[in-house]
Amino acid sequence: MLLRVRVTLPDRPGALGQVARTLGVAGADIVQVVVLERLGGRAVDDFTVVWPGASRVERLLAGLAAIPGVQVDGVWKAIGAPVTGGHDAELLAQIAANPADGLATLVDAVPGLLAADWAAAAVVPADWAARSGAPRLVPGEGSDATVVYASWRAPGPLALPEITPLRARPLTAADGTRYAVAPFGRAGLVLVIARQDEDDLPAAGFHVTEVDRVAQLVRAAAVILGDRLDTAGVPAVM
């Protein structure tokens, strides 16, 4: 199976190689390494690895934990081969070529771009800003956002977390699901992306660089789709 392993490690010569060797000894075949952050002498890296399905992941985690200064931030299943930022332009081109299905195209593609489980486009109530000072929903009860479209792996019925205030940000729900949200800037429409723990594998939260990537995609898609987004949550007249 394909796994994504996120580690924080010392940003010094040899540290990355030590992590790579440890993954190899544990039985992981490294497919890709993405550097998410380098700051203050520390780095955050995502390793995409092929992991033997019959092997216990605890062996991999134990090996990484034994490396001085290394912290495992998350291990989760990836749903496909890793893709890089170059695919963002291809996705936007597909949206521009068929704007009628542009929102669905974006929602279906984003989980694969970010090693997420599912995504959804939702519309928050028109008066959300006026209610920002009012008591919020109890954490874990979800929001009253309306789901417009969800990708094929989204659970049903889909209960979203409280996604207001509307700004690009990561968040973690009461059940441990990790989310990234990014507003389209019109009609109360927001893109919600999720990672969930599975088989005792703790998924990592969305890194700031991943949230920025989502926000850029959403802003670009909003420019391409324009007024079409204003009617995304309006039921079709039969």
Side-chain angles (χ1 to χ4, degrees):
M1 61 180 171
L2 203 61
L3 293 180
R4 188 70 61 95
V5 183
R6 180 168 299 173
V7 297
T8 299
L9 66 158
D11 189 14
R12 63 169 181 258
L16 181 62
Q18 192 172 7
V19 171
R21 286 193 298 274
T22 300
L23 290 171
V25 170
D29 183 12
I30 298 175
V31 177
Q32 184 190 59
V33 182
V34 176
V35 179
L36 296 175
E37 176 183 311
R38 280 181 173 170
L39 184 66
R42 305 284 288 173
V44 180
D45 294 350
D46 270 3
F47 291 81
T48 302
V49 303
V50 177
W51 180 252
S55 299
R56 296 184 62 84
V57 178
E58 287 81 358
R59 179 159 55 98
L60 181 151
L61 298 177
L64 293 174
I67 305 175
V70 170
Q71 172 185 318
V72 179
D73 297 330
V75 180
W76 68 103
K77 291 181 181 179
I79 61 175
V83 290
T84 59
H87 289 71
D88 294 3
E90 295 180 14
L91 172 58
L92 293 172
Q94 291 175 13
I95 293 172
N98 184 15
D101 296 325
L103 185 60
T105 299
L106 177 66
V107 172
D108 284 334
V110 161
L113 295 180
L114 292 166
D117 290 306
W118 55 267
V123 175
V124 300
D127 63 342
W128 74 267
R131 298 181 303 157
S132 61
R136 308 306 300 168
L137 295 172
V138 176
E141 289 187 354
S143 69
D144 49 1
T146 301
V147 175
V148 175
Y149 183 85
S151 63
W152 70 276
R153 297 190 74 210
L158 182 56
L160 296 177
E162 180 54 60
I163 56 178
T164 57
L166 291 187
R167 64 176 184 271
R169 60 193 173 98
L171 61 93
T172 301
D175 65 357
T177 302
R178 282 73 166 178
Y179 291 95
V181 298
F184 285 82
R186 59 193 304 161
L189 193 64
V190 60
L191 182 66
V192 183
I193 310 167
R195 287 184 186 136
Q196 296 174 292
D197 296 345
E198 184 180 355
D199 298 332
D200 296 324
L201 298 178
F206 287 89
H207 191 269
V208 62
T209 57
E210 295 178 302
V211 176
D212 287 345
R213 183 181 180 188
V214 173
Q216 291 172 13
L217 275 171
V218 166
R219 285 195 296 268
V223 171
I224 295 170
L225 297 177
D227 293 344
R228 291 178 181 273
L229 295 178
D230 295 336
T231 58
V234 179
V237 178
M238 302 301 293

